């Protein structure tokens, strides 16, 4: 029994020391089941999609964190994933970005699509446990539609987004901003 | 423990090695690889008398997605579990999935989660508050062929499998198990997710989760439901049918409520009636998220019909890395 206890503690310690992303309630990787359901709403003409994973170099990480003026969350610092939406000939129609941002009661997960002109086409909340309801109101979410990747640096509640400043709305705004900046740095420049 | 571990260690290493070679060495220009490892350690006390400290599970999973010019096409997934102080090492899931356009259809070959009840959307394997699949279906995953997909708000899955669960890769008597599930989930995450499922055939219950060691004939229908509402999630499943031609019914009603930013309250009521035996239980628990990927849970199961009361304490850790 003592050996078992020792092994367990050792394993636990080992697991706890390992850095990087984890998938659980408090981890900021978007746990997206059945992505097709949302993808077809944002890009009804899409025939298929391709998952793209980009490694984040230390230099790119610094640039992204300088631009968003905060650290990326655990689970988002090593790789960046997005989806290319394709037509029946394999041509690009746009991109889907799945985001997970820290709310008051765990992660707020949401998904949005950008066209080839890099403007937002649609946004959907995927999962949240918040008591606050402001962030899921259509009048708040619809303000992101038409925003361009170039608007990311100045995106802020009270400036170009009109909403009650709650933990939920702030999380969605900073999540969209972070995803757009990361996409610009990693997908359009590299 | 050392005897079992020595015996099972080679199985575990072999399983992991096979999985790795399948997934890592199958190189492709456009591919995404995810690795996950999790550790579930528990203290359990039964009827406030017998207690046990154990490693409930050490899991290791790999997922690799391959894409062609038209999009994501092939998914390879494997999950190897070392359960119950490493006594049982098993490939919990291991399959190849060929993905059709926009996931409208997928063909899955190998060992996968059976499309029945809450299982495709919710797994309580690493939780203290348990759903009823091991008592209704008798297993969680099975080897066979599945066709599934998503069309607008609807999803479907139909499976033809062996009914041997995680204990055997080969069939016993060529009597298949047919299962299906059709579900609906709206665009809004707070819309009700509802499903209707059925299962027919001869099932050999997983030995680690069941006292039954002989095959049983099942004929089951189930309705499942998941509803998110603010800080609360409600999950329910009602199953009815036959087990060896005797009436079977089961009810699971569970809820998680985020009471504090890092703390959830967990409640569940379970009812199970099969072959003349009836059990009813209430489980109450607390989940505390210490930090990303590290959770502590406590739970108390109260049996309402004189069966075992179980107190549990769990430390759970999970890590994932994408390449």
């Amino acid at each position: 029994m003592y050996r078992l206890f020792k092994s367990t503690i050792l394993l636990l310690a080992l697991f706890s020391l390992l850095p990087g992303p984890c998938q659980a309630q408090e981890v900021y990787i978007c746990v997206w089941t059945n992505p097709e359901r949302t993808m077809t709403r944002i890009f009804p003409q899409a025939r298929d999609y391709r998952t793209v994973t980009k490694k984040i170099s230390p230099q790119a990480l610094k640039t992204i964190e300088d631009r968003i003026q905060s650290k990326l969350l655990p689970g988002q610092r090593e790789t960046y994933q997005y989806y290319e939406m394709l037509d029946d000939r394999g041509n690009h129609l746009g991109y889907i970005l799945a985001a997970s941002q820290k709310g008051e009661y765990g992660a707020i997960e949401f998904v949005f699509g950008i066209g080839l002109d890099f403007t937002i086409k649609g946004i959907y909340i995927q999962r949240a446990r918040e008591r606050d309801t402001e962030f899921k109101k259509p009048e708040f979410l619809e303000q992101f539609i038409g925003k361009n990747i170039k608007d990311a640096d100045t995106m802020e509640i009270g400036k170009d987004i009109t909403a009650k400043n709650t933990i939920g709305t702030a999380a969605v705004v900073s999540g969209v901003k972070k995803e757009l900046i990361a996409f610009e740095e990693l997908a359009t420049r590299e | 423990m050392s005897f079992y571990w020595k015996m099972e260690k080679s199985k575990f290493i072999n399983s992991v090695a096979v999985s790795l070679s399948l997934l890592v060495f199958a190189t492709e220009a456009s591919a995404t690889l995810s690795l996950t490892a999790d550790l579930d350690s528990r203290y359990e006390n039964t009827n406030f008398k017998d207690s046990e400290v154990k490693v409930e599970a050490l899991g290791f999973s790999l997922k690799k997605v391959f894409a062609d010019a038209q999009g994501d096409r092939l998914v390879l997934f494997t999950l190897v579990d070392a359960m119950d102080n490493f006594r049982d090492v098993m490939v919990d899931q291991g399959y190849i999935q060929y993905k059709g356009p926009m996931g409208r259809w997928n063909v899955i070959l190998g060992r996968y989660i059976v499309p029945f009840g809450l299982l495709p959307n919710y797994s309580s394997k690493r939780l203290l508050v348990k759903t009823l699949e091991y008592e209704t279906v008798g297993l969680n995953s099975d080897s066979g062929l599945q066709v599934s997909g998503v069309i607008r708000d609807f999803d479907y899955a139909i499976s033809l499998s062996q009914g041997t669960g995680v204990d055997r890769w080969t069939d016993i008597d060529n009597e298949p198990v047919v299962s299906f599930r059709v579900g609906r989930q709206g665009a809004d995450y707070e819309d009700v997710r509802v499903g209707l499922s059925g299962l027919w055939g001869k099932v050999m219950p997983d030995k680690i989760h069941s006292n039954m060691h002989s095959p049983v004939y099942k004929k089951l229908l189930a309705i499942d439901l998941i509803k998110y509402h603010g800080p609360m999630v409600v999950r329910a499943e009602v199953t009815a049918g036959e087990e060896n031609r005797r009436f079977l019914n089961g009810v699971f009603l569970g809820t998680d409520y985020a009471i504090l930013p890092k703390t959830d309250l967990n409640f569940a009521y379970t009812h199970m009636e099969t072959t003349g035996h009836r059990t009813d239980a209430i489980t109450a628990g607390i989940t505390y998220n210490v930090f990303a990927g590290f959770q502590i849970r406590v739970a108390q199961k109260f049996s309402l019909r004189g069966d075992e009361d179980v107190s549990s304490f769990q430390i759970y850790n999970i890590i994932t890395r994408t390449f």
Side-chain angles (χ1 to χ4, degrees):
Chain A
M1 182 60 80
Y2 177 68
R3 282 181 62 189
L4 172 64
F5 183 72
K6 233 170 49 173
S7 318
T8 307
I9 297 300
L10 194 71
L11 280 166
L12 275 171
L14 189 70
F15 267 53
S16 306
L17 285 172
L18 284 168
C22 323
Q23 267 181 343
Q25 229 165 314
E26 269 286 298
V27 182
Y28 308 104
I29 286 179
C30 196
V31 184
W32 202 16
T33 51
N34 293 330
E36 296 90 353
R37 220 186 285 268
T38 323
M39 286 171 167
T40 47
R41 284 200 164 78
I42 299 172
F43 291 101
Q45 71 278 40
R47 162 95 175 151
D48 217 339
Y49 66 92
R50 186 188 296 128
T51 309
V52 181
T53 306
K54 295 273 184 186
K55 233 181 184 157
I56 306 178
S57 66
Q59 193 187 347
L61 181 68
K62 188 180 176 312
T63 309
I64 293 165
E65 291 185 339
D66 285 348
R67 286 183 66 187
I68 64 172
Q69 294 169 351
S70 65
K71 296 274 179 204
L72 287 178
L73 295 167
Q76 301 175 343
R77 301 174 63 83
E78 288 82 16
T79 53
Y80 176 73
Q81 199 168 70
Y82 62 94
Y83 304 87
E84 292 173 345
M85 303 308 296
L86 308 166
D87 67 11
D88 52 4
R89 291 180 184 173
N91 299 318
H92 288 186
L93 294 169
Y95 308 91
I96 291 281
L97 313 181
S100 183
Q101 195 65 15
K102 193 174 181 176
E104 190 177 6
Y105 293 85
I108 298 175
E109 296 170 9
F110 55 97
V111 171
F112 63 99
I114 53 176
L116 294 175
D117 57 354
F118 301 131
T119 58
I120 296 176
K121 304 290 178 201
I123 180 165
Y124 289 91
I125 304 291
Q126 293 297 298
R127 196 170 68 166
R129 302 285 302 280
E130 302 298 299
R131 285 158 199 242
D132 160 40
T133 56
E134 289 295 318
F135 72 98
K136 57 187 179 188
K137 287 182 177 167
E139 56 267 33
F140 168 67
L141 293 173
E142 281 163 10
Q143 292 181 62
F144 291 98
I145 296 168
K147 291 264 185 282
N148 192 275
I149 201 167
K150 299 289 173 206
D151 304 325
D153 288 297
T154 55
M155 200 176 276
E156 207 174 304
I157 294 173
K159 283 188 180 169
D160 50 354
I161 300 285
T162 311
K164 204 168 142 188
N165 198 346
T166 66
I167 292 175
T169 54
V172 175
V173 171
S174 58
V176 170
K177 183 174 177 166
K178 177 191 71 190
E179 289 297 322
L180 288 176
I181 288 171
F183 183 81
E184 189 178 12
E185 294 295 334
L186 298 164
T188 66
R189 288 191 184 157
E190 286 189 356
Chain B
M1 182 233 163
S2 58
F3 169 74
Y4 282 115
W5 175 233
K6 272 178 195 166
M7 202 170 65
E8 296 292 326
K9 192 167 67 175
S10 60
K11 268 170 75 183
F12 185 74
I13 291 167
N14 285 345
S15 305
V16 172
V18 169
S19 308
L20 273 171
S21 53
L22 259 175
L23 296 168
V24 177
F25 296 111
T27 52
E28 151 82 27
S30 177
T32 300
L33 174 70
S34 308
L35 304 174
T36 302
D38 69 335
L39 178 67
D40 174 352
S41 311
R42 296 185 188 187
Y43 164 82
E44 279 186 0
N45 181 295
T46 308
N47 290 333
F48 304 102
K49 287 178 192 161
D50 307 319
S51 55
E52 188 184 12
V53 178
K54 63 178 176 178
V55 175
E56 173 72 11
L58 171 65
F60 182 72
S61 79
L62 299 111
K63 181 182 181 184
K64 192 153 184 168
V65 180
F66 298 92
D68 62 17
Q70 301 298 314
D72 287 357
R73 197 56 58 227
L74 202 64
V75 181
L76 300 178
F77 180 76
T78 184
L79 167 61
V80 180
D81 271 347
M83 305 282 293
D84 195 19
N85 287 337
F86 313 104
R87 283 191 183 96
D88 284 286
V89 177
M90 61 194 71
V91 178
D92 185 81
Q93 292 174 65
Y95 60 78
I96 297 174
Q97 174 182 357
Y98 186 85
K99 200 179 82 53
M102 286 308 288
R104 285 186 202 97
W105 55 267
N106 300 272
V107 179
I108 300 170
L109 180 69
R111 184 173 291 167
Y112 48 79
I113 289 177
V114 176
F116 185 85
L118 286 168
L119 275 176
N121 290 316
Y122 180 67
S123 170
S124 64
K125 269 190 84 170
R126 304 287 205 253
L127 301 175
L128 300 180
V129 178
K130 296 288 183 194
T131 45
L132 286 173
E133 63 274 10
Y134 287 110
E135 292 168 75
T136 52
V137 180
L139 41 83
N140 179 296
S141 45
D142 201 12
S143 308
L145 182 75
Q146 182 185 136
V147 178
S148 63
V150 178
I151 300 170
R152 294 195 63 79
D153 290 348
F154 296 91
D155 52 84
Y156 67 91
I158 182 156
S159 153
L160 184 69
S161 59
Q162 297 185 143
T164 52
V166 294
D167 295 328
R168 292 172 65 95
W169 279 104
T170 51
D171 203 356
I172 301 170
D173 50 16
N174 294 324
E175 286 196 53
V177 172
V178 178
S179 51
F180 76 89
R181 183 180 178 279
V182 284
R184 188 189 184 280
Q185 180 183 334
D188 192 293
Y189 78 103
E190 288 193 333
D191 286 348
V192 174
R193 299 166 199 190
V194 64
L196 171 72
S197 49
L199 182 140
W200 291 265
K202 195 171 166 184
V203 172
M204 185 76 193
D206 283 348
K207 65 180 180 193
I208 192 167
H209 295 105
S210 173
N211 296 324
M212 295 177 112
H213 300 298
S214 55
V216 279
Y217 285 95
K218 304 263 185 182
K219 209 184 271 186
L220 306 173
L221 271 178
I223 293 171
D224 61 272
L225 176 147
I226 297 177
K227 167 78 177 135
Y228 278 79
H229 185 75
M232 186 165 68
V233 192
V234 177
R235 299 179 183 90
E237 182 183 308
V238 178
T239 307
E242 288 179 4
E243 182 179 270
N244 286 340
R245 299 195 172 186
R246 296 188 70 171
F247 180 66
L248 171 153
N249 75 87
V251 176
F252 170 83
L253 180 62
T255 181
D256 296 331
Y257 189 90
I259 189 169
L260 291 167
K262 280 175 171 276
T263 310
D264 266 27
L265 293 182
N266 320 111
F267 291 102
Y269 165 75
T270 53
H271 160 83
M272 194 67 215
E273 190 173 349
T274 176
T275 54
H277 183 65
R278 183 175 167 174
T279 57
D280 291 275
I282 288 174
T283 308
I286 298 173
T287 300
Y288 181 71
N289 296 293
V290 183
F291 55 80
F294 192 84
Q295 296 170 324
I296 291 174
R297 296 187 180 96
V298 288
Q300 175 66 43
K301 181 182 170 188
F302 300 98
S303 175
L304 305 178
R305 290 185 175 269
D307 292 319
E308 290 176 339
D309 291 337
V310 182
S311 317
S312 312
F313 172 79
Q314 179 196 38
I315 298 173
Y316 182 70
N317 201 186
I318 180 166
I319 56 165
T320 286
R321 193 166 283 274
T322 305
F323 301 92

